Amino acid sequence: GRTADLALKTAGHLLVVIGREDGHLGQSLYQQIIAGRLEGAPPPVDLADEIKAGSLIRSLIRDGGVRTVHDVSDGGLLVAIAEMALAGDLGVELFPNEGKLPDHAVWFGEDQGRYVLEVSPEEAQSIIDRARLLGIPARIVGRTGGEELVLKGEVALKLAELREIHESWLPRYMAGL
């Protein structure tokens, strides 16, 4: 059967996030690191939605249209996309958030049952339509290409720098214990 992994593969593709986004920050890494505390409830889990989203993802992989998929968990959407970019050594231009949620909630919220897919521009709309037919929100969040993570109004992050931070974090953390 066909499989997918988390490494970005092709420049000029679109990143689509599938799943409900409420910007849930309770018990999140963002809250722990930025606010210096851990409080509130963890994100709620809607099993019916999770099953629908999981089934859709499996069928998209089986149909051969999707070869790159990553679930959103600790650290939220931005962390998931950064992991995909590092795995594939391919940058991403992130599109500004146009919804009602504040930016930090969109990028760092840990809502469950969400997936990021890399899809060709030709397939993006039909995948979004398939999700919406199932009552699952879906939207385009970025475009692959280059060697940086870029979000308008923020300093671009070179993948090489991100990799350095990512790889040196654990040894530095262990040395500090």
Side-chain angles (χ1 to χ4, degrees), residues 24-96:
H24 201 93
L25 294 168
Q27 302 293 325
S28 67
L29 277 178
Y30 177 88
Q31 188 195 51
Q32 197 175 346
I33 294 165
I34 304 299
R37 58 180 193 262
L38 209 49
E39 59 192 24
V45 175
D46 182 325
L47 283 178
D49 270 3
E50 291 232 12
I51 290 165
K52 281 194 292 196
S55 303
L56 173 63
I57 300 298
R58 277 193 301 280
S59 73
L60 291 171
I61 293 168
R62 207 174 40 239
D63 299 348
V66 173
R67 290 172 41 235
T68 305
V69 62
H70 192 23
D71 63 316
V72 178
S73 59
D74 291 353
L77 186 58
L78 195 58
V79 170
I81 291 172
E83 288 170 348
M84 296 170 82
L86 285 175
D89 206 25
L90 185 59
V92 174
E93 176 198 357
L94 298 161
F95 298 154

Side-chain angles (χ1 to χ4, degrees), residues 6 15 29 41 81 86 106 113 118 125 168 177:
L6 65 85
L15 293 185
L29 277 178
I81 291 172
L86 285 175
V106 167
E118 175 192 345
Q125 194 56 52
S168 65
L177 286 180

Side-chain angles (χ1 to χ4, degrees), residues 10-177:
T10 309
H13 274 189
L14 297 173
L15 293 185
V16 172
V17 64
I18 287 180
R20 213 162 293 292
E21 297 183 285
D22 298 314
H24 201 93
L25 294 168
Q27 302 293 325
S28 67
L29 277 178
Y30 177 88
Q31 188 195 51
Q32 197 175 346
I33 294 165
I34 304 299
R37 58 180 193 262
L38 209 49
E39 59 192 24
V45 175
D46 182 325
L47 283 178
D49 270 3
E50 291 232 12
I51 290 165
K52 281 194 292 196
S55 303
L56 173 63
I57 300 298
R58 277 193 301 280
S59 73
L60 291 171
I61 293 168
R62 207 174 40 239
D63 299 348
V66 173
R67 290 172 41 235
T68 305
V69 62
H70 192 23
D71 63 316
V72 178
S73 59
D74 291 353
L77 186 58
L78 195 58
V79 170
I81 291 172
E83 288 170 348
M84 296 170 82
L86 285 175
D89 206 25
L90 185 59
V92 174
E93 176 198 357
L94 298 161
F95 298 154
N97 155 42
E98 289 172 356
K100 294 183 186 70
L101 293 171
D103 283 356
H104 68 277
V106 167
W107 296 116
F108 299 106
E110 295 183 5
D111 305 281
Q112 300 296 293
R114 286 186 300 158
Y115 300 88
V116 183
L117 288 63
E118 175 192 345
V119 302
S120 72
E122 300 75 45
E123 288 166 334
Q125 194 56 52
S126 74
I127 288 173
I128 289 170
D129 292 343
R130 272 177 77 173
R132 290 183 178 161
L133 279 174
L134 294 168
I136 304 169
R139 65 187 182 96
I140 295 169
V141 290
R143 182 185 295 111
T144 59
E147 297 169 6
E148 304 176 318
L149 283 187
V150 182
L151 177 59
K152 200 173 172 174
E154 301 291 336
V155 177
L157 263 179
K158 288 193 176 9
L159 288 186
E161 287 171 24
L162 196 59
R163 179 167 284 108
E164 163 72 21
I165 293 163
H166 184 69
E167 288 170 358
S168 65
W169 176 85
L170 188 59
R172 275 209 318 269
Y173 176 75
M174 297 307 273
L177 286 180

